[in-house]
PDB file of all heavy atoms in Angstrom:
ATOM      1  N   ASP A  92      82.453  73.779  89.305  1.00 96.00           N
ATOM      2  CA  ASP A  92      82.578  75.196  88.955  1.00 96.00           C
ATOM      3  C   ASP A  92      83.271  75.961  90.032  1.00 96.00           C
ATOM      4  O   ASP A  92      84.153  76.836  89.765  1.00 96.00           O
ATOM      5  CB  ASP A  92      81.215  75.865  88.709  1.00 96.00           C
ATOM      6  CG  ASP A  92      80.692  75.517  87.375  1.00 96.00           C
ATOM      7  OD1 ASP A  92      81.495  74.933  86.558  1.00 96.00           O
ATOM      8  OD2 ASP A  92      79.522  75.909  87.048  1.00 96.00           O
ATOM      9  N   SER A 103      96.161  82.914  90.200  1.00 98.00           N
ATOM     10  CA  SER A 103      96.393  84.319  89.903  1.00 98.00           C
ATOM     11  C   SER A 103      97.170  85.051  91.064  1.00 98.00           C
ATOM     12  O   SER A 103      97.744  86.057  90.882  1.00 98.00           O
ATOM     13  CB  SER A 103      95.058  85.077  89.616  1.00 98.00           C
ATOM     14  OG  SER A 103      94.364  85.192  90.864  1.00 98.00           O
ATOM     15  N   ASP A 108     102.390  75.586  92.006  1.00 98.00           N
ATOM     16  CA  ASP A 108     102.801  74.237  92.185  1.00 98.00           C
ATOM     17  C   ASP A 108     101.615  73.255  92.083  1.00 98.00           C
ATOM     18  O   ASP A 108     100.614  73.351  92.817  1.00 98.00           O
ATOM     19  CB  ASP A 108     103.427  74.129  93.624  1.00 98.00           C
ATOM     20  CG  ASP A 108     104.015  72.793  94.013  1.00 98.00           C
ATOM     21  OD1 ASP A 108     103.329  71.737  93.742  1.00 98.00           O
ATOM     22  OD2 ASP A 108     105.079  72.765  94.515  1.00 98.00           O
ATOM     23  N   ASP A 119      87.747  70.570 101.235  1.00 96.00           N
ATOM     24  CA  ASP A 119      86.680  71.483 101.205  1.00 96.00           C
ATOM     25  C   ASP A 119      86.746  72.467 102.381  1.00 96.00           C
ATOM     26  O   ASP A 119      86.511  72.115 103.550  1.00 96.00           O
ATOM     27  CB  ASP A 119      85.359  70.728 101.272  1.00 96.00           C
ATOM     28  CG  ASP A 119      84.142  71.648 101.127  1.00 96.00           C
ATOM     29  OD1 ASP A 119      84.290  72.912 101.053  1.00 96.00           O
ATOM     30  OD2 ASP A 119      83.027  71.079 101.102  1.00 96.00           O
ATOM     31  N   PHE A 123      85.708  73.549 107.398  1.00 96.00           N
ATOM     32  CA  PHE A 123      86.562  74.092 108.525  1.00 96.00           C
ATOM     33  C   PHE A 123      86.060  75.460 108.991  1.00 96.00           C
ATOM     34  O   PHE A 123      86.505  76.033 109.899  1.00 96.00           O
ATOM     35  CB  PHE A 123      88.014  74.220 108.044  1.00 96.00           C
ATOM     36  CG  PHE A 123      88.594  72.908 107.738  1.00 96.00           C
ATOM     37  CD1 PHE A 123      88.471  72.296 106.495  1.00 96.00           C
ATOM     38  CD2 PHE A 123      89.326  72.221 108.708  1.00 96.00           C
ATOM     39  CE1 PHE A 123      88.993  71.039 106.207  1.00 96.00           C
ATOM     40  CE2 PHE A 123      89.875  70.976 108.414  1.00 96.00           C
ATOM     41  CZ  PHE A 123      89.674  70.403 107.167  1.00 96.00           C
ATOM     42  N   VAL A 152      97.634  80.377 102.442  1.00 98.00           N
ATOM     43  CA  VAL A 152      97.827  78.929 102.693  1.00 98.00           C
ATOM     44  C   VAL A 152      98.566  78.323 101.609  1.00 98.00           C
ATOM     45  O   VAL A 152      99.586  77.526 101.790  1.00 98.00           O
ATOM     46  CB  VAL A 152      96.464  78.208 103.009  1.00 98.00           C
ATOM     47  CG1 VAL A 152      96.633  76.729 103.074  1.00 98.00           C
ATOM     48  CG2 VAL A 152      95.843  78.713 104.259  1.00 98.00           C
ATOM     49  N   GLN A 160     107.822  73.278 100.330  1.00 98.00           N
ATOM     50  CA  GLN A 160     108.349  72.202  99.504  1.00 98.00           C
ATOM     51  C   GLN A 160     108.226  70.829 100.135  1.00 98.00           C
ATOM     52  O   GLN A 160     109.226  70.111 100.312  1.00 98.00           O
ATOM     53  CB  GLN A 160     109.795  72.493  99.102  1.00 98.00           C
ATOM     54  CG  GLN A 160     109.992  73.770  98.334  1.00 98.00           C
ATOM     55  CD  GLN A 160     111.454  74.242  98.208  1.00 98.00           C
ATOM     56  OE1 GLN A 160     112.343  73.416  98.407  1.00 98.00           O
ATOM     57  NE2 GLN A 160     111.637  75.423  97.810  1.00 98.00           N
ATOM     58  N   ASN A 162     107.566  66.949 100.703  1.00 98.00           N
ATOM     59  CA  ASN A 162     107.710  65.739  99.953  1.00 98.00           C
ATOM     60  C   ASN A 162     106.809  64.598 100.572  1.00 98.00           C
ATOM     61  O   ASN A 162     106.491  64.625 101.791  1.00 98.00           O
ATOM     62  CB  ASN A 162     109.124  65.198  99.930  1.00 98.00           C
ATOM     63  CG  ASN A 162     110.021  66.258  99.211  1.00 98.00           C
ATOM     64  OD1 ASN A 162     109.756  66.551  98.108  1.00 98.00           O
ATOM     65  ND2 ASN A 162     111.052  66.723  99.928  1.00 98.00           N
ATOM     66  N   ARG A 164     107.232  61.732 101.724  1.00 98.00           N
ATOM     67  CA  ARG A 164     107.682  60.962 102.866  1.00 98.00           C
ATOM     68  C   ARG A 164     107.888  61.845 104.126  1.00 98.00           C
ATOM     69  O   ARG A 164     108.397  61.383 105.148  1.00 98.00           O
ATOM     70  CB  ARG A 164     108.989  60.204 102.528  1.00 98.00           C
ATOM     71  CG  ARG A 164     108.726  59.143 101.444  1.00 98.00           C
ATOM     72  CD  ARG A 164     109.740  58.033 101.509  1.00 98.00           C
ATOM     73  NE  ARG A 164     109.874  57.454 102.855  1.00 98.00           N
ATOM     74  CZ  ARG A 164     108.998  56.635 103.385  1.00 98.00           C
ATOM     75  NH1 ARG A 164     107.875  56.266 102.773  1.00 98.00           N
ATOM     76  NH2 ARG A 164     109.196  56.145 104.636  1.00 98.00           N
ATOM     77  N   LYS A 166     107.760  64.236 107.486  1.00 98.00           N
ATOM     78  CA  LYS A 166     107.067  64.367 108.768  1.00 98.00           C
ATOM     79  C   LYS A 166     107.090  65.845 109.007  1.00 98.00           C
ATOM     80  O   LYS A 166     108.123  66.488 109.091  1.00 98.00           O
ATOM     81  CB  LYS A 166     107.916  63.633 109.804  1.00 98.00           C
ATOM     82  CG  LYS A 166     107.289  63.650 111.201  1.00 98.00           C
ATOM     83  CD  LYS A 166     107.975  62.525 112.012  1.00 98.00           C
ATOM     84  CE  LYS A 166     109.256  63.056 112.630  1.00 98.00           C
ATOM     85  NZ  LYS A 166     109.804  62.166 113.682  1.00 98.00           N
ATOM     86  N   ILE A 170     102.582  74.621 113.786  1.00 98.00           N
ATOM     87  CA  ILE A 170     102.211  75.372 114.990  1.00 98.00           C
ATOM     88  C   ILE A 170     101.064  76.375 114.682  1.00 98.00           C
ATOM     89  O   ILE A 170     101.194  77.178 113.870  1.00 98.00           O
ATOM     90  CB  ILE A 170     103.462  76.148 115.565  1.00 98.00           C
ATOM     91  CG1 ILE A 170     104.708  75.342 115.585  1.00 98.00           C
ATOM     92  CG2 ILE A 170     103.110  76.733 116.937  1.00 98.00           C
ATOM     93  CD1 ILE A 170     104.706  74.111 116.379  1.00 98.00           C
ATOM     94  N   ALA A 178      96.498  72.265 108.181  1.00 98.00           N
ATOM     95  CA  ALA A 178      96.975  70.926 108.458  1.00 98.00           C
ATOM     96  C   ALA A 178      96.396  69.921 107.450  1.00 98.00           C
ATOM     97  O   ALA A 178      97.073  68.983 107.037  1.00 98.00           O
ATOM     98  CB  ALA A 178      96.652  70.558 109.921  1.00 98.00           C
ATOM     99  N   LEU A 181      98.353  70.113 104.292  1.00 98.00           N
ATOM    100  CA  LEU A 181      99.626  69.422 104.543  1.00 98.00           C
ATOM    101  C   LEU A 181      99.486  67.901 104.493  1.00 98.00           C
ATOM    102  O   LEU A 181     100.360  67.196 103.996  1.00 98.00           O
ATOM    103  CB  LEU A 181     100.293  69.901 105.782  1.00 98.00           C
ATOM    104  CG  LEU A 181     100.703  71.381 105.857  1.00 98.00           C
ATOM    105  CD1 LEU A 181     101.119  71.760 107.247  1.00 98.00           C
ATOM    106  CD2 LEU A 181     101.827  71.612 104.810  1.00 98.00           C
ATOM    107  N   ALA A 185     102.063  65.118 102.687  1.00 98.00           N
ATOM    108  CA  ALA A 185     103.167  64.607 103.545  1.00 98.00           C
ATOM    109  C   ALA A 185     102.753  63.182 104.079  1.00 98.00           C
ATOM    110  O   ALA A 185     101.577  62.786 103.942  1.00 98.00           O
ATOM    111  CB  ALA A 185     103.350  65.540 104.784  1.00 98.00           C
ATOM    112  N   VAL A 188     101.432  64.555 109.687  1.00 98.00           N
ATOM    113  CA  VAL A 188     101.451  65.934 110.152  1.00 98.00           C
ATOM    114  C   VAL A 188     101.116  65.985 111.685  1.00 98.00           C
ATOM    115  O   VAL A 188     100.144  65.296 112.111  1.00 98.00           O
ATOM    116  CB  VAL A 188     100.336  66.755 109.471  1.00 98.00           C
ATOM    117  CG1 VAL A 188     100.311  68.200 109.933  1.00 98.00           C
ATOM    118  CG2 VAL A 188     100.561  66.699 107.906  1.00 98.00           C
ATOM    119  N   ALA A 198      91.822  72.693 119.062  1.00 98.00           N
ATOM    120  CA  ALA A 198      92.450  71.426 118.731  1.00 98.00           C
ATOM    121  C   ALA A 198      91.357  70.317 118.677  1.00 98.00           C
ATOM    122  O   ALA A 198      91.376  69.473 117.747  1.00 98.00           O
ATOM    123  CB  ALA A 198      93.554  71.125 119.699  1.00 98.00           C
ATOM    124  N   THR A 215      96.916  65.702 116.522  1.00 98.00           N
ATOM    125  CA  THR A 215      96.624  67.025 117.013  1.00 98.00           C
ATOM    126  C   THR A 215      96.919  67.089 118.519  1.00 98.00           C
ATOM    127  O   THR A 215      96.525  66.215 119.275  1.00 98.00           O
ATOM    128  CB  THR A 215      95.153  67.288 116.780  1.00 98.00           C
ATOM    129  OG1 THR A 215      94.870  66.983 115.418  1.00 98.00           O
ATOM    130  CG2 THR A 215      94.794  68.769 117.008  1.00 98.00           C
ATOM    131  N   ASP A 219     101.695  74.658 124.176  1.00 98.00           N
ATOM    132  CA  ASP A 219     102.421  75.811 123.638  1.00 98.00           C
ATOM    133  C   ASP A 219     103.399  75.324 122.574  1.00 98.00           C
ATOM    134  O   ASP A 219     104.356  74.734 122.899  1.00 98.00           O
ATOM    135  CB  ASP A 219     103.111  76.563 124.820  1.00 98.00           C
ATOM    136  CG  ASP A 219     103.894  77.753 124.283  1.00 98.00           C
ATOM    137  OD1 ASP A 219     104.145  77.952 123.096  1.00 98.00           O
ATOM    138  OD2 ASP A 219     104.329  78.581 125.146  1.00 98.00           O
ATOM    139  N   HIS A 222     107.586  75.405 122.002  1.00 98.00           N
ATOM    140  CA  HIS A 222     108.532  74.363 122.440  1.00 98.00           C
ATOM    141  C   HIS A 222     108.652  73.198 121.491  1.00 98.00           C
ATOM    142  O   HIS A 222     109.495  72.337 121.711  1.00 98.00           O
ATOM    143  CB  HIS A 222     108.087  73.809 123.809  1.00 98.00           C
ATOM    144  CG  HIS A 222     107.881  74.935 124.849  1.00 98.00           C
ATOM    145  ND1 HIS A 222     108.917  75.805 125.227  1.00 98.00           N
ATOM    146  CD2 HIS A 222     106.800  75.335 125.494  1.00 98.00           C
ATOM    147  CE1 HIS A 222     108.474  76.665 126.055  1.00 98.00           C
ATOM    148  NE2 HIS A 222     107.189  76.437 126.270  1.00 98.00           N
ATOM    149  N   GLY A 261     107.859  89.038 113.079  1.00 93.00           N
ATOM    150  CA  GLY A 261     107.659  90.460 113.284  1.00 93.00           C
ATOM    151  C   GLY A 261     106.626  90.701 114.409  1.00 93.00           C
ATOM    152  O   GLY A 261     106.034  89.814 114.924  1.00 93.00           O
ATOM    153  N   ASP A 264     101.325  93.720 115.695  1.00 74.00           N
ATOM    154  CA  ASP A 264     100.483  94.860 115.183  1.00 74.00           C
ATOM    155  C   ASP A 264     101.090  95.530 113.984  1.00 74.00           C
ATOM    156  O   ASP A 264     100.637  96.573 113.547  1.00 74.00           O
ATOM    157  CB  ASP A 264     100.308  95.844 116.360  1.00 74.00           C
ATOM    158  CG  ASP A 264     101.620  96.253 116.966  1.00 74.00           C
ATOM    159  OD1 ASP A 264     102.650  95.766 116.561  1.00 74.00           O
ATOM    160  OD2 ASP A 264     101.580  97.151 117.890  1.00 74.00           O
ATOM    161  N   ARG A 274     117.848  74.506 107.095  1.00 98.00           N
ATOM    162  CA  ARG A 274     118.937  74.018 107.920  1.00 98.00           C
ATOM    163  C   ARG A 274     119.993  73.330 107.088  1.00 98.00           C
ATOM    164  O   ARG A 274     119.701  72.309 106.412  1.00 98.00           O
ATOM    165  CB  ARG A 274     118.428  73.093 109.046  1.00 98.00           C
ATOM    166  CG  ARG A 274     119.546  72.683 109.986  1.00 98.00           C
ATOM    167  CD  ARG A 274     119.036  72.102 111.257  1.00 98.00           C
ATOM    168  NE  ARG A 274     120.215  71.948 112.214  1.00 98.00           N
ATOM    169  CZ  ARG A 274     120.152  71.446 113.387  1.00 98.00           C
ATOM    170  NH1 ARG A 274     118.934  71.136 113.895  1.00 98.00           N
ATOM    171  NH2 ARG A 274     121.171  71.339 114.164  1.00 98.00           N
ATOM    172  N   VAL A 287     103.255  89.660 105.169  1.00 93.00           N
ATOM    173  CA  VAL A 287     102.005  88.858 105.563  1.00 93.00           C
ATOM    174  C   VAL A 287     101.469  89.511 106.880  1.00 93.00           C
ATOM    175  O   VAL A 287     102.097  90.342 107.505  1.00 93.00           O
ATOM    176  CB  VAL A 287     102.286  87.418 105.860  1.00 93.00           C
ATOM    177  CG1 VAL A 287     102.373  86.606 104.584  1.00 93.00           C
ATOM    178  CG2 VAL A 287     103.527  87.140 106.788  1.00 93.00           C
TER     179      VAL A 287
END
Side-chain angles (χ1 to χ4, degrees):
D92 277 355
S103 71
D108 183 315
D119 184 356
F123 298 84
V152 170
Q160 299 170 16
N162 295 305
R164 297 206 48 76
K166 184 164 83 169
I170 313 300
L181 293 170
V188 178
T215 310
D219 177 346
H222 306 298
D264 52 356
R274 183 164 188 178
V287 281

